[in-house]
Amino acid sequence: MADIITELFSEEIITAKIRELGRQISQDYAEKEIKLICVLRGASVFYAELAKRITVPVRFDFISVSSYGDGTESSGRIKIRKELDEPVEGEHVILVEDIIDTGRTLKTVRQMLLERGAVSVALASLLDKPSRRKVQIEGDYIGFEIPDEFVVGYGLDYQQRYRNLPYIGKIISNQE
């Protein structure tokens, strides 16, 4: 049986927000080139849609990281599963994530990019869940703030399912 999911943000609302974020990034980086770095896998849908709405020159790269610790909480120590393909030295970087949760991993990745010589590292995230924050980190370009609920769709998953949903929803009933 399938899970029952209630829609929180429709595809139309998400698209309008991403257009707004793309305009803001384009204004903030006018006459600059930026490097968008996608945090795989969850951010991939948001990343592609956001990139299409940015009018300044953009270069793409991808990174995959995992947190480890007791298995339920991010420790802030990361394991890089997929390294960047190009250096970031001298670059204006926008790190693109699906959701800011505890902030531990993103803070570590941002610091790593700065240590590697990035001129600046901004954070774009489709969702922000500030009630779960464990470290001080703020997004620069945020789509939506959400309460402490588990969400799926638009790249976010539950056991690798539901990434392809064109909306963001909350599982209200698990039928497994």
Side-chain angles (χ1 to χ4, degrees), residues 66-70 74-79 104-105 108:
S66 65
S67 300
Y68 58 92
D70 64 12
S74 169
S75 66
R77 295 180 310 238
I78 62 168
K79 177 181 178 185
R104 289 177 172 147
T105 299
T108 301

Side-chain angles (χ1 to χ4, degrees), residues 29 38 52 62 65 77 80 84 87-88 92 134 150 175:
Y29 290 88
C38 179
K52 293 189 304 186
F62 302 86
V65 297
R77 295 180 310 238
I80 297 176
L84 297 171
V88 295
H92 292 281
K134 301 291 185 190
F150 190 81
Q175 301 296 317

Side-chain angles (χ1 to χ4, degrees), residues 29 34 50 87 107 129 131 136 157 168:
Y29 290 88
I34 57 177
L50 180 63
K107 186 173 183 174
K129 198 185 288 187
S131 64
Q136 182 62 37
D157 74 297
I168 294 171

Side-chain angles (χ1 to χ4, degrees), residues 3-10 14 42 98-99 126-127 129 146 149-172 174:
D3 296 318
I4 299 171
I5 300 170
T6 183
E7 185 177 291
L8 298 176
F9 300 105
S10 70
I14 295 168
D98 54 357
I99 187 167
L126 182 57
L127 301 174
K129 198 185 288 187
I146 63 169
E149 297 178 327
F150 190 81
V151 294
V152 295
Y154 220 84
L156 294 110
D157 74 297
Y158 171 67
Q159 297 180 346
Q160 296 301 325
R161 295 182 307 193
Y162 307 119
R163 289 187 194 278
N164 63 315
L165 294 177
Y167 59 88
I168 294 171
K170 175 175 97 166
I171 297 176
I172 58 170
N174 185 295

